Amino acid sequence: MFAEHPVTSPARSFLSRVGVDGWSVLSLAEQCATSLKDRRVVGWLMVTGRLKPTADYLVLGRPYLGEIAARHCNSFHQTFTETAAELGFDRRATVLQWSAVTKVAVLTGVAQDRLSKADLDAGREQMIAAIRRHRPDAHGVRALTTALFGAEATLFHAGVIDVPPRKSHPGQAAARAATWAAAPPRLATTLLGYVEQMRLSLRPATIVGVEGVLRGFAAWLTREAPEVGCVADLRRRHIESYKLHLAVRPSARGGRLSKTVFAEHVGALRI
């Protein structure tokens, strides 16, 4: 009666060939190499609490659990999206928030509408560790933390958690300091001195962007142009090479830098 059914047939086939126990003993590479049909079944098992994944699989397998959870948890998904819209989040940001919340939910074994702040923190740490293991050169950590920060605001206003979100960036100050420390001293002194001068007249949020642009430029020079020891050593070829680097550099949300962000980087350097 269910032969060739597009939903039940793959599910019956997967459960008879592999099953939940069989999936759990597969290696990470074997899990990621299974067919798309099987991984859709696996995703449904995860969302419904029948199979607990590892953070490594969620990073490498990219199972798109948010789409499955939106159908399975339709009522709360609607509440979540309406709350996010009321807070001013656009559709793309809301989708990313829901996906991140779903990943935390399947990792912790707690439904999306019952998550606590502790659950969110625990899931975040597991995902960050997995991203750093498997995709250290990507911007996945920042994308994840941005999505979860917004999701915490949405969950707070939806009445799920009782603690409003607070920005926390452990270790980032140390990482920024290490980047500046690795740059040539005269170059770093000039660039940081410029940041302090701009701090007198620009908004704090703008200063964060300026410091980030100059820090990224200093890091690139340290790595790619060690002959530059100070600003006076810069030549046209350095700027043009850095522009080519920016053109192919991944953005924090994936893909390439937008034309606007690219112009902001080059504009900050020009000034």
Side-chain angles (χ1 to χ4, degrees), residues 64-89:
Y64 300 101
L65 299 180
E67 299 176 9
I68 300 171
R71 295 191 294 270
H72 181 68
C73 313
N74 181 264
S75 177
F76 180 65
H77 176 255
Q78 184 173 350
T79 299
F80 186 94
T81 54
E82 289 174 353
T83 303
E86 290 172 1
L87 293 175
F89 292 110

Side-chain angles (χ1 to χ4, degrees), residues 11-247:
R12 287 172 181 268
S13 173
F14 172 80
L15 292 172
S16 64
R17 289 182 293 102
V18 183
V20 172
D21 293 337
W23 171 268
S24 300
V25 299
L26 292 177
S27 68
L28 179 61
E30 290 171 329
Q31 290 177 348
C32 295
T34 53
S35 69
L36 177 60
K37 286 185 177 181
D38 281 353
R39 282 184 284 126
R40 284 174 176 165
V41 177
V42 169
W44 183 82
L45 292 169
M46 291 175 179
V47 167
T48 57
R50 292 170 168 83
L51 194 159
K52 186 174 181 179
T54 62
D56 300 276
Y57 174 75
L58 295 183
V59 170
L60 284 182
R62 295 182 176 181
Y64 300 101
L65 299 180
E67 299 176 9
I68 300 171
R71 295 191 294 270
H72 181 68
C73 313
N74 181 264
S75 177
F76 180 65
H77 176 255
Q78 184 173 350
T79 299
F80 186 94
T81 54
E82 289 174 353
T83 303
E86 290 172 1
L87 293 175
F89 292 110
D90 60 25
R91 183 180 179 279
R92 183 173 186 276
T94 302
V95 169
L96 293 173
Q97 288 181 25
W98 177 255
S99 175
V101 166
T102 299
K103 289 175 181 176
V104 170
V106 299
L107 274 177
T108 59
V110 180
Q112 290 94 326
D113 59 351
R114 296 183 179 274
L115 287 168
S116 66
K117 182 65 168 62
D119 295 325
L120 291 166
D121 290 343
R124 179 190 292 107
E125 292 307 311
Q126 290 184 57
M127 290 295 297
I128 287 175
I131 292 170
R132 286 175 174 163
R133 279 194 297 272
H134 302 290
R135 302 185 185 278
D137 298 327
H139 292 268
V141 170
R142 183 175 177 181
L144 173 71
T145 54
T146 298
L148 283 177
F149 182 77
E152 286 186 20
T154 301
L155 292 173
F156 173 74
H157 286 277
V160 176
I161 60 176
D162 55 6
V163 180
R166 293 191 181 96
K167 285 193 174 181
S168 176
H169 303 290
Q172 288 196 10
R176 288 193 293 267
T179 299
W180 285 117
R186 290 179 63 194
L187 177 69
T189 298
T190 302
L191 296 182
L192 287 172
Y194 174 78
V195 172
E196 291 308 309
Q197 289 296 316
M198 292 300 99
R199 201 181 298 278
L200 301 175
S201 58
L202 299 179
R203 295 179 302 170
T206 304
I207 291 299
V208 170
V210 171
E211 187 273 338
V213 168
L214 296 184
R215 175 163 39 87
F217 184 51
W220 182 84
L221 287 172
T222 302
R223 185 175 65 253
E224 303 293 339
E227 70 276 9
V228 176
C230 62
V231 171
D233 292 336
L234 287 170
R235 296 293 180 267
R236 183 184 184 94
R237 68 177 184 276
H238 296 123
I239 301 298
E240 291 179 340
S241 295
Y242 186 63
K243 287 170 64 179
L244 294 175
H245 162 74
L246 286 178

